[in-house]
Short mmCIF file of all heavy atoms in Angstrom, two decimals:
data_model
loop_
_atom_site.label_atom_id
_atom_site.label_comp_id
_atom_site.label_asym_id
_atom_site.label_seq_id
_atom_site.Cartn_x
_atom_site.Cartn_y
_atom_site.Cartn_z
N ASP A 200 91.04 73.44 84.95
CA ASP A 200 90.72 74.31 83.88
C ASP A 200 91.18 75.66 84.26
O ASP A 200 91.27 76.51 83.51
CB ASP A 200 89.29 74.25 83.41
CG ASP A 200 88.33 74.53 84.50
OD1 ASP A 200 88.42 74.12 85.63
OD2 ASP A 200 87.29 75.26 84.28
N GLU A 201 91.17 75.89 85.58
CA GLU A 201 91.35 77.30 86.12
C GLU A 201 92.87 77.61 86.31
O GLU A 201 93.23 78.79 86.44
CB GLU A 201 90.81 77.39 87.59
CG GLU A 201 89.29 76.98 87.61
CD GLU A 201 88.40 77.99 87.21
OE1 GLU A 201 88.80 79.16 86.70
OE2 GLU A 201 87.08 77.70 87.19
N LEU A 202 93.76 76.70 86.21
CA LEU A 202 95.20 76.93 86.32
C LEU A 202 95.79 78.05 85.45
O LEU A 202 96.67 78.69 85.96
CB LEU A 202 96.01 75.57 86.18
CG LEU A 202 95.80 74.51 87.13
CD1 LEU A 202 96.53 73.28 86.86
CD2 LEU A 202 96.25 75.07 88.60
N PRO A 203 95.41 78.15 84.24
CA PRO A 203 95.98 79.31 83.40
C PRO A 203 95.74 80.65 84.10
O PRO A 203 96.35 81.66 83.60
CB PRO A 203 95.35 79.17 82.13
CG PRO A 203 94.99 77.72 81.93
CD PRO A 203 94.55 77.32 83.37
N GLN A 204 94.83 80.76 84.96
CA GLN A 204 94.60 82.09 85.68
C GLN A 204 95.72 82.52 86.59
O GLN A 204 95.79 83.65 87.02
CB GLN A 204 93.30 81.97 86.51
CG GLN A 204 92.09 82.07 85.67
CD GLN A 204 90.78 81.54 86.42
OE1 GLN A 204 90.48 82.01 87.50
NE2 GLN A 204 90.07 80.60 85.81
N LEU A 205 96.83 81.69 86.72
CA LEU A 205 97.93 82.04 87.40
C LEU A 205 98.69 83.15 86.55
O LEU A 205 99.28 84.01 87.15
CB LEU A 205 98.97 80.81 87.53
CG LEU A 205 98.56 79.73 88.64
CD1 LEU A 205 99.35 78.54 88.44
CD2 LEU A 205 98.58 80.24 89.90
N ILE A 206 98.54 83.04 85.30
CA ILE A 206 99.09 84.15 84.42
C ILE A 206 98.30 85.53 84.74
O ILE A 206 98.88 86.54 84.80
CB ILE A 206 98.82 83.82 82.90
CG1 ILE A 206 99.72 82.44 82.61
CG2 ILE A 206 99.37 84.90 82.06
CD1 ILE A 206 99.46 81.94 81.25
N ASN A 207 96.93 85.41 84.89
CA ASN A 207 96.14 86.57 85.22
C ASN A 207 96.64 87.17 86.57
O ASN A 207 96.72 88.47 86.66
CB ASN A 207 94.64 86.26 85.32
CG ASN A 207 94.02 85.98 83.96
OD1 ASN A 207 93.55 84.83 83.77
ND2 ASN A 207 94.00 86.94 83.14
N ILE A 208 96.94 86.35 87.40
CA ILE A 208 97.42 86.85 88.72
C ILE A 208 98.81 87.48 88.56
O ILE A 208 99.06 88.58 89.15
CB ILE A 208 97.45 85.72 89.86
CG1 ILE A 208 96.08 85.15 89.94
CG2 ILE A 208 98.04 86.23 91.13
CD1 ILE A 208 95.98 83.91 90.89
N LEU A 209 99.65 86.81 87.81
CA LEU A 209 101.11 87.31 87.66
C LEU A 209 101.10 88.67 87.05
O LEU A 209 101.85 89.47 87.44
CB LEU A 209 101.88 86.31 86.80
CG LEU A 209 103.31 86.62 86.45
CD1 LEU A 209 104.15 86.73 87.87
CD2 LEU A 209 103.83 85.62 85.56
N ILE A 210 100.23 88.90 85.90
CA ILE A 210 100.26 90.19 85.33
C ILE A 210 99.36 91.25 86.04
O ILE A 210 99.24 92.34 85.48
CB ILE A 210 99.71 90.05 83.87
CG1 ILE A 210 98.32 89.62 83.66
CG2 ILE A 210 100.70 89.11 83.08
CD1 ILE A 210 97.81 89.33 82.25
N GLY A 211 98.73 90.92 87.16
CA GLY A 211 98.00 91.87 87.94
C GLY A 211 96.52 92.12 87.67
O GLY A 211 95.94 93.01 88.21
N ASP A 212 95.92 91.21 86.79
CA ASP A 212 94.57 91.35 86.55
C ASP A 212 93.63 90.71 87.62
O ASP A 212 92.58 91.15 87.90
CB ASP A 212 94.15 90.58 85.33
CG ASP A 212 94.63 91.33 84.02
OD1 ASP A 212 94.79 92.52 84.09
OD2 ASP A 212 94.82 90.67 83.03
N MET A 213 94.23 89.76 88.41
CA MET A 213 93.53 89.05 89.45
C MET A 213 94.38 88.85 90.67
O MET A 213 95.57 89.11 90.62
CB MET A 213 93.09 87.62 88.94
CG MET A 213 92.12 87.67 87.85
SD MET A 213 91.66 86.03 87.19
CE MET A 213 91.00 85.18 88.64
N SER A 214 93.75 88.31 91.68
CA SER A 214 94.37 87.99 92.96
C SER A 214 94.18 86.45 93.27
O SER A 214 93.22 85.98 92.68
CB SER A 214 93.85 88.79 94.04
OG SER A 214 94.34 88.44 95.28
N PHE A 215 94.87 85.91 94.16
CA PHE A 215 94.46 84.49 94.53
C PHE A 215 93.11 84.40 95.21
O PHE A 215 92.38 83.52 95.06
CB PHE A 215 95.55 83.89 95.46
CG PHE A 215 96.70 83.34 94.76
CD1 PHE A 215 97.90 84.02 94.77
CD2 PHE A 215 96.65 82.07 94.20
CE1 PHE A 215 99.07 83.49 93.97
CE2 PHE A 215 97.71 81.55 93.54
CZ PHE A 215 98.93 82.19 93.36
N VAL A 216 92.85 85.58 96.08
CA VAL A 216 91.49 85.52 96.68
C VAL A 216 90.85 86.88 96.44
O VAL A 216 91.39 87.97 96.44
CB VAL A 216 91.76 85.44 98.31
CG1 VAL A 216 90.34 85.42 98.96
CG2 VAL A 216 92.56 84.18 98.66
N GLY A 217 89.64 86.82 96.10
CA GLY A 217 88.70 87.90 95.80
C GLY A 217 87.44 87.41 95.13
O GLY A 217 87.24 86.15 94.82
N PRO A 218 86.49 88.28 94.97
CA PRO A 218 85.28 87.89 94.31
C PRO A 218 85.50 87.38 92.83
O PRO A 218 86.34 87.88 92.16
CB PRO A 218 84.43 89.19 94.17
CG PRO A 218 85.02 90.02 95.21
CD PRO A 218 86.45 89.72 95.35
N ARG A 219 84.93 86.22 92.52
CA ARG A 219 85.15 85.63 91.19
C ARG A 219 84.75 86.62 90.06
O ARG A 219 83.75 87.45 90.20
CB ARG A 219 84.40 84.43 91.00
CG ARG A 219 85.05 83.16 91.67
CD ARG A 219 86.42 82.85 91.16
NE ARG A 219 86.28 82.33 89.70
CZ ARG A 219 87.30 82.06 88.94
NH1 ARG A 219 88.53 82.40 89.42
NH2 ARG A 219 87.17 81.66 87.72
N PRO A 220 85.56 86.76 89.03
CA PRO A 220 85.30 87.78 87.95
C PRO A 220 84.12 87.26 87.07
O PRO A 220 84.22 86.12 86.43
CB PRO A 220 86.62 87.79 87.21
CG PRO A 220 87.24 86.53 87.38
CD PRO A 220 86.85 86.11 88.78
N PHE A 221 83.03 87.96 86.96
CA PHE A 221 81.87 87.55 86.14
C PHE A 221 82.24 88.25 84.75
O PHE A 221 83.02 88.94 84.49
CB PHE A 221 80.66 88.18 86.68
CG PHE A 221 80.18 87.59 88.00
CD1 PHE A 221 79.50 88.41 88.90
CD2 PHE A 221 80.59 86.32 88.28
CE1 PHE A 221 79.13 87.84 90.20
CE2 PHE A 221 80.13 85.75 89.62
CZ PHE A 221 79.53 86.56 90.51
N VAL A 222 81.40 87.68 83.78
CA VAL A 222 81.58 88.03 82.34
C VAL A 222 81.30 89.57 82.25
O VAL A 222 80.45 90.15 82.98
CB VAL A 222 80.67 87.22 81.39
CG1 VAL A 222 81.05 85.84 81.35
CG2 VAL A 222 79.18 87.43 81.83
N ALA A 223 81.95 90.18 81.30
CA ALA A 223 81.88 91.61 81.24
C ALA A 223 80.50 92.17 80.89
O ALA A 223 80.15 93.26 81.27
CB ALA A 223 82.89 92.08 80.03
N GLU A 224 79.65 91.28 80.24
CA GLU A 224 78.37 91.73 79.86
C GLU A 224 77.49 92.03 81.12
O GLU A 224 76.40 92.69 80.98
CB GLU A 224 77.65 90.62 79.01
CG GLU A 224 78.24 90.58 77.64
CD GLU A 224 79.59 89.81 77.51
OE1 GLU A 224 80.00 89.27 78.58
OE2 GLU A 224 80.23 89.97 76.48
N TYR A 225 77.74 91.42 82.27
CA TYR A 225 76.95 91.63 83.49
C TYR A 225 77.17 93.03 83.98
O TYR A 225 76.35 93.49 84.78
CB TYR A 225 77.41 90.61 84.48
CG TYR A 225 76.91 89.14 84.23
CD1 TYR A 225 77.41 88.10 85.11
CD2 TYR A 225 76.20 88.92 83.17
CE1 TYR A 225 77.05 86.84 84.85
CE2 TYR A 225 75.85 87.52 82.86
CZ TYR A 225 76.24 86.45 83.72
OH TYR A 225 75.90 85.18 83.55
N LYS A 226 78.22 93.68 83.60
CA LYS A 226 78.56 95.00 84.30
C LYS A 226 77.50 95.95 84.13
O LYS A 226 77.15 96.75 85.14
CB LYS A 226 79.82 95.55 83.59
CG LYS A 226 80.35 96.88 84.27
CD LYS A 226 81.76 97.18 83.87
CE LYS A 226 81.99 97.36 82.29
NZ LYS A 226 83.23 97.77 82.05
N LYS A 227 76.80 95.98 83.05
CA LYS A 227 75.72 96.90 82.87
C LYS A 227 74.37 96.60 83.65
O LYS A 227 73.45 97.26 83.74
CB LYS A 227 75.34 97.11 81.40
CG LYS A 227 74.84 95.78 80.72
CD LYS A 227 74.58 96.08 79.25
CE LYS A 227 73.96 94.74 78.45
NZ LYS A 227 75.08 93.75 78.35
N LEU A 228 74.36 95.35 84.21
CA LEU A 228 73.24 94.89 84.93
C LEU A 228 73.31 95.11 86.49
O LEU A 228 72.31 95.03 87.24
CB LEU A 228 73.02 93.40 84.68
CG LEU A 228 72.74 92.95 83.36
CD1 LEU A 228 72.76 91.38 83.14
CD2 LEU A 228 71.55 93.62 82.72
N TYR A 229 74.54 95.49 86.97
CA TYR A 229 74.76 95.60 88.39
C TYR A 229 74.06 96.89 88.96
O TYR A 229 73.95 97.94 88.34
CB TYR A 229 76.15 95.78 88.72
CG TYR A 229 77.09 94.60 88.44
CD1 TYR A 229 78.33 94.67 87.92
CD2 TYR A 229 76.58 93.28 88.53
CE1 TYR A 229 79.25 93.76 87.66
CE2 TYR A 229 77.39 92.19 88.28
CZ TYR A 229 78.68 92.47 87.88
OH TYR A 229 79.49 91.39 87.46
N THR A 230 73.66 96.84 90.17
CA THR A 230 73.09 97.91 90.91
C THR A 230 74.46 98.57 91.46
O THR A 230 75.48 98.03 91.40
CB THR A 230 72.22 97.60 92.17
OG1 THR A 230 73.08 96.83 93.06
CG2 THR A 230 71.00 96.80 91.69
N SER A 231 74.31 99.82 92.04
CA SER A 231 75.43 100.55 92.50
C SER A 231 76.13 99.79 93.68
O SER A 231 77.26 99.75 93.84
CB SER A 231 75.13 102.02 92.92
OG SER A 231 74.08 101.96 93.80
N LYS A 232 75.28 99.15 94.43
CA LYS A 232 75.74 98.39 95.62
C LYS A 232 76.47 97.10 95.04
O LYS A 232 77.58 96.70 95.63
CB LYS A 232 74.60 97.97 96.52
CG LYS A 232 75.06 97.21 97.78
CD LYS A 232 73.79 96.82 98.60
CE LYS A 232 74.22 96.08 99.81
NZ LYS A 232 73.03 95.66 100.75
N GLN A 233 75.82 96.37 94.07
CA GLN A 233 76.51 95.20 93.62
C GLN A 233 77.87 95.52 92.96
O GLN A 233 78.84 94.66 93.00
CB GLN A 233 75.57 94.53 92.63
CG GLN A 233 74.35 93.88 93.27
CD GLN A 233 73.31 93.45 92.22
OE1 GLN A 233 73.35 93.95 90.99
NE2 GLN A 233 72.37 92.58 92.61
N PHE A 234 77.93 96.63 92.40
CA PHE A 234 79.24 97.07 91.61
C PHE A 234 80.42 97.22 92.62
O PHE A 234 81.54 97.08 92.19
CB PHE A 234 79.05 98.33 90.84
CG PHE A 234 80.11 98.62 89.82
CD1 PHE A 234 80.06 97.96 88.64
CD2 PHE A 234 81.16 99.39 90.10
CE1 PHE A 234 81.09 98.19 87.65
CE2 PHE A 234 82.20 99.68 89.22
CZ PHE A 234 82.08 99.03 87.95
N LYS A 235 80.11 97.30 93.90
CA LYS A 235 81.25 97.46 94.92
C LYS A 235 82.02 96.27 95.04
O LYS A 235 83.10 96.29 95.56
CB LYS A 235 80.58 97.87 96.33
CG LYS A 235 80.03 99.30 96.28
CD LYS A 235 79.52 99.62 97.68
CE LYS A 235 79.08 101.10 97.73
NZ LYS A 235 80.06 102.12 97.56
N ARG A 236 81.51 95.20 94.42
CA ARG A 236 82.31 93.91 94.51
C ARG A 236 83.69 94.14 93.68
O ARG A 236 84.61 93.38 93.85
CB ARG A 236 81.57 92.70 93.93
CG ARG A 236 81.31 92.72 92.35
CD ARG A 236 80.34 91.74 91.94
NE ARG A 236 80.74 90.33 92.27
CZ ARG A 236 81.68 89.64 91.50
NH1 ARG A 236 82.14 90.18 90.50
NH2 ARG A 236 81.78 88.40 91.83
N HIS A 237 83.67 95.14 92.83
CA HIS A 237 84.86 95.50 92.11
C HIS A 237 85.77 96.43 92.66
O HIS A 237 86.81 96.99 92.10
CB HIS A 237 84.36 95.98 90.71
CG HIS A 237 83.57 94.98 89.92
ND1 HIS A 237 84.20 93.77 89.46
CD2 HIS A 237 82.36 94.98 89.52
CE1 HIS A 237 83.18 93.08 88.80
NE2 HIS A 237 82.09 93.68 88.85
#
């Protein structure tokens, strides 16, 4: 089910290796330290 993310990598939104992208709604819940994952 993850294979279409090759498109995300090709267009520059993602990398092959990195922290998995969480849903956008979580962004407002992060501490400043947790946000460094981005």
Side-chain angles (χ1 to χ4, degrees):
D200 62 319
E201 309 282 359
L202 287 176
Q204 287 161 49
L205 290 170
I206 297 174
N207 287 118
I208 298 173
L209 181 63
I210 63 180
D212 289 330
M213 291 177 60
S214 172
F215 274 103
V216 182
R219 282 295 293 171
F221 295 148
V222 295
E224 288 75 16
Y225 289 173
K226 184 165 61 172
K227 61 181 180 294
L228 301 176
Y229 297 143
T230 64
S231 57
K232 181 178 180 180
Q233 291 170 341
F234 194 81
K235 289 184 179 297
R236 71 189 303 277
H237 298 295

